[in-house]
Amino acid sequence: MSGVQKHFGDLHVLKDVDLTIGRGEVVVVIGPSGSGKSTLCRTINRLETYEGGSITVDGQQLPEEGKALARLRADVGMVFQAFNLFAHKTVLENVTLGPIKVRKVKKADAERRARELLDRVGVGHQAKKYPAQLSGGQQQRVAIARALAMDPKVMLFDEPTSALDPEMINEVLEVMTDLASSGMTMVVVTHEMGFARKAADRVVFMADGELVEQADPETFFTAPSSPRAKDFLSKLLTH
């Protein structure tokens, strides 16, 4: 991301954002509500448009629309706050749909791969069920498997645990931690500081649409350099 600008009306939500993420790097984006974290995440696959600057993924400029954008989205997996599974399709169908439709994978191959991924995220036994029959934590793990089934170059996570009950959060974070250690390139917007400490290669702190500070987790959590980050962390640690 180079000089990326984004407005919602008069609100300037991304201010000249420069961010480079290396292959295999896990970057966790944190900051107060309204700081632009989710918008940043959603511009990377153009779920949000942006007005200035440029975004490239693996050397390719982000296309504006059409087939080129669909191809790019296939390379950029996304896991949302609200799961966004297809309610009328089984778990297995949810995971195979993209590979069959977009990647033109044969159904049998797509199903074999889907079962592997569902086993990997711990919900293999739920393949024939519908999303409504699963807990929130199980649905989110299916959503992760669905994104992985496209064999993406990058995985984006937009507050993937914020809609979950506390006891389900860890089961999703465990899957994400495993994924991080497997070498997947990940951008994770989250309030889970434990995950940031454990899994991130780099923590990016945002406030008011700007990247205020970035550092490795140890440095960021023990010795933040900006007043905004110090203030943010002190509030976290005292509640």
Short mmCIF file of all heavy atoms in Angstrom, two decimals, residues 123-147:
data_model
loop_
_atom_site.label_atom_id
_atom_site.label_comp_id
_atom_site.label_asym_id
_atom_site.label_seq_id
_atom_site.Cartn_x
_atom_site.Cartn_y
_atom_site.Cartn_z
N VAL A 123 -13.23 -29.20 12.19
CA VAL A 123 -14.69 -29.37 12.00
C VAL A 123 -15.01 -30.37 10.89
O VAL A 123 -16.08 -30.33 10.29
CB VAL A 123 -15.41 -28.02 11.73
CG1 VAL A 123 -15.47 -27.16 12.97
CG2 VAL A 123 -14.75 -27.26 10.59
N GLY A 124 -14.09 -31.28 10.64
CA GLY A 124 -14.29 -32.27 9.58
C GLY A 124 -15.56 -33.09 9.74
O GLY A 124 -16.23 -33.43 8.76
N HIS A 125 -15.93 -33.34 11.00
CA HIS A 125 -17.12 -34.17 11.26
C HIS A 125 -18.43 -33.41 11.02
O HIS A 125 -19.51 -34.00 11.09
CB HIS A 125 -17.08 -34.68 12.71
CG HIS A 125 -16.96 -33.58 13.73
ND1 HIS A 125 -15.88 -32.71 13.76
CD2 HIS A 125 -17.79 -33.18 14.73
CE1 HIS A 125 -16.05 -31.83 14.74
NE2 HIS A 125 -17.19 -32.10 15.33
N GLN A 126 -18.32 -32.12 10.73
CA GLN A 126 -19.53 -31.30 10.53
C GLN A 126 -19.83 -31.06 9.04
O GLN A 126 -20.69 -30.24 8.70
CB GLN A 126 -19.35 -29.92 11.20
CG GLN A 126 -18.86 -29.96 12.63
CD GLN A 126 -19.97 -30.32 13.61
OE1 GLN A 126 -21.06 -30.70 13.20
NE2 GLN A 126 -19.69 -30.21 14.90
N ALA A 127 -19.13 -31.76 8.16
CA ALA A 127 -19.17 -31.42 6.72
C ALA A 127 -20.58 -31.41 6.12
O ALA A 127 -20.89 -30.62 5.23
CB ALA A 127 -18.28 -32.38 5.93
N LYS A 128 -21.45 -32.27 6.62
CA LYS A 128 -22.80 -32.39 6.02
C LYS A 128 -23.82 -31.44 6.64
O LYS A 128 -24.95 -31.34 6.18
CB LYS A 128 -23.30 -33.83 6.15
CG LYS A 128 -22.55 -34.83 5.28
CD LYS A 128 -23.35 -36.14 5.19
CE LYS A 128 -22.78 -37.07 4.14
NZ LYS A 128 -21.55 -37.75 4.60
N LYS A 129 -23.42 -30.75 7.70
CA LYS A 129 -24.36 -29.86 8.38
C LYS A 129 -24.46 -28.51 7.66
O LYS A 129 -23.64 -28.17 6.82
CB LYS A 129 -23.91 -29.64 9.83
CG LYS A 129 -24.08 -30.88 10.69
CD LYS A 129 -23.82 -30.56 12.15
CE LYS A 129 -24.08 -31.79 13.01
NZ LYS A 129 -23.61 -31.57 14.39
N TYR A 130 -25.47 -27.75 8.06
CA TYR A 130 -25.65 -26.38 7.56
C TYR A 130 -25.11 -25.41 8.61
O TYR A 130 -25.08 -25.74 9.81
CB TYR A 130 -27.14 -26.11 7.28
CG TYR A 130 -27.62 -26.86 6.06
CD1 TYR A 130 -28.10 -28.16 6.16
CD2 TYR A 130 -27.55 -26.26 4.79
CE1 TYR A 130 -28.52 -28.86 5.03
CE2 TYR A 130 -27.96 -26.96 3.66
CZ TYR A 130 -28.44 -28.26 3.78
OH TYR A 130 -28.84 -28.93 2.66
N PRO A 131 -24.70 -24.22 8.17
CA PRO A 131 -24.10 -23.27 9.13
C PRO A 131 -24.91 -23.05 10.40
O PRO A 131 -24.35 -22.98 11.50
CB PRO A 131 -23.99 -21.99 8.30
CG PRO A 131 -23.74 -22.49 6.91
CD PRO A 131 -24.61 -23.72 6.79
N ALA A 132 -26.25 -22.96 10.26
CA ALA A 132 -27.09 -22.67 11.43
C ALA A 132 -27.01 -23.77 12.49
O ALA A 132 -27.37 -23.55 13.65
CB ALA A 132 -28.54 -22.47 11.01
N GLN A 133 -26.54 -24.95 12.09
CA GLN A 133 -26.42 -26.07 13.04
C GLN A 133 -25.10 -26.05 13.81
O GLN A 133 -24.86 -26.90 14.66
CB GLN A 133 -26.56 -27.40 12.29
CG GLN A 133 -27.92 -27.57 11.63
CD GLN A 133 -27.96 -28.81 10.75
OE1 GLN A 133 -27.41 -28.83 9.65
NE2 GLN A 133 -28.60 -29.86 11.23
N LEU A 134 -24.24 -25.09 13.51
CA LEU A 134 -22.93 -25.01 14.14
C LEU A 134 -22.87 -23.84 15.13
O LEU A 134 -23.61 -22.87 15.01
CB LEU A 134 -21.83 -24.78 13.09
CG LEU A 134 -21.74 -25.76 11.92
CD1 LEU A 134 -20.53 -25.42 11.07
CD2 LEU A 134 -21.66 -27.19 12.39
N SER A 135 -21.94 -23.94 16.07
CA SER A 135 -21.67 -22.80 16.96
C SER A 135 -20.96 -21.71 16.17
O SER A 135 -20.43 -21.95 15.07
CB SER A 135 -20.78 -23.24 18.12
OG SER A 135 -19.46 -23.49 17.64
N GLY A 136 -20.91 -20.52 16.75
CA GLY A 136 -20.20 -19.42 16.09
C GLY A 136 -18.73 -19.74 15.83
O GLY A 136 -18.19 -19.45 14.77
N GLY A 137 -18.10 -20.37 16.82
CA GLY A 137 -16.69 -20.72 16.66
C GLY A 137 -16.48 -21.72 15.53
O GLY A 137 -15.52 -21.62 14.76
N GLN A 138 -17.41 -22.69 15.43
CA GLN A 138 -17.31 -23.67 14.34
C GLN A 138 -17.54 -22.99 12.99
O GLN A 138 -16.84 -23.28 12.02
CB GLN A 138 -18.33 -24.79 14.55
CG GLN A 138 -17.98 -25.70 15.71
CD GLN A 138 -19.12 -26.64 16.07
OE1 GLN A 138 -20.30 -26.31 15.92
NE2 GLN A 138 -18.79 -27.82 16.55
N GLN A 139 -18.53 -22.08 12.94
CA GLN A 139 -18.79 -21.38 11.67
C GLN A 139 -17.57 -20.58 11.23
O GLN A 139 -17.22 -20.56 10.05
CB GLN A 139 -19.99 -20.44 11.83
CG GLN A 139 -21.32 -21.15 11.91
CD GLN A 139 -22.48 -20.18 11.89
OE1 GLN A 139 -22.64 -19.41 10.96
NE2 GLN A 139 -23.29 -20.21 12.93
N GLN A 140 -16.91 -19.93 12.19
CA GLN A 140 -15.75 -19.12 11.81
C GLN A 140 -14.61 -20.01 11.33
O GLN A 140 -13.87 -19.64 10.42
CB GLN A 140 -15.32 -18.23 12.99
CG GLN A 140 -14.37 -17.11 12.64
CD GLN A 140 -14.92 -16.16 11.58
OE1 GLN A 140 -15.21 -16.56 10.45
NE2 GLN A 140 -15.07 -14.89 11.93
N ARG A 141 -14.48 -21.20 11.90
CA ARG A 141 -13.43 -22.11 11.44
C ARG A 141 -13.75 -22.62 10.03
O ARG A 141 -12.85 -22.81 9.22
CB ARG A 141 -13.23 -23.25 12.45
CG ARG A 141 -12.50 -22.74 13.70
CD ARG A 141 -12.22 -23.84 14.68
NE ARG A 141 -13.40 -24.22 15.43
CZ ARG A 141 -13.55 -25.39 16.03
NH1 ARG A 141 -12.60 -26.32 15.95
NH2 ARG A 141 -14.63 -25.66 16.73
N VAL A 142 -15.04 -22.84 9.75
CA VAL A 142 -15.44 -23.20 8.37
C VAL A 142 -15.08 -22.05 7.42
O VAL A 142 -14.58 -22.27 6.32
CB VAL A 142 -16.96 -23.51 8.29
CG1 VAL A 142 -17.39 -23.69 6.84
CG2 VAL A 142 -17.29 -24.76 9.09
N ALA A 143 -15.33 -20.82 7.87
CA ALA A 143 -15.03 -19.65 7.02
C ALA A 143 -13.53 -19.58 6.71
O ALA A 143 -13.13 -19.23 5.59
CB ALA A 143 -15.49 -18.37 7.70
N ILE A 144 -12.70 -19.95 7.68
CA ILE A 144 -11.25 -19.97 7.45
C ILE A 144 -10.90 -21.07 6.43
O ILE A 144 -10.13 -20.84 5.49
CB ILE A 144 -10.49 -20.17 8.78
CG1 ILE A 144 -10.66 -18.94 9.68
CG2 ILE A 144 -9.00 -20.41 8.51
CD1 ILE A 144 -10.13 -19.11 11.10
N ALA A 145 -11.51 -22.24 6.60
CA ALA A 145 -11.28 -23.33 5.64
C ALA A 145 -11.72 -22.92 4.24
O ALA A 145 -11.06 -23.21 3.24
CB ALA A 145 -12.02 -24.60 6.09
N ARG A 146 -12.85 -22.22 4.17
CA ARG A 146 -13.37 -21.78 2.87
C ARG A 146 -12.38 -20.84 2.18
O ARG A 146 -12.12 -20.95 0.98
CB ARG A 146 -14.73 -21.08 3.05
CG ARG A 146 -15.30 -20.58 1.73
CD ARG A 146 -16.66 -19.94 1.89
NE ARG A 146 -16.60 -18.74 2.71
CZ ARG A 146 -17.66 -17.96 2.92
NH1 ARG A 146 -18.84 -18.27 2.42
NH2 ARG A 146 -17.55 -16.88 3.65
N ALA A 147 -11.82 -19.92 2.95
CA ALA A 147 -10.84 -18.99 2.37
C ALA A 147 -9.58 -19.75 1.93
O ALA A 147 -9.03 -19.50 0.86
CB ALA A 147 -10.50 -17.89 3.37
#
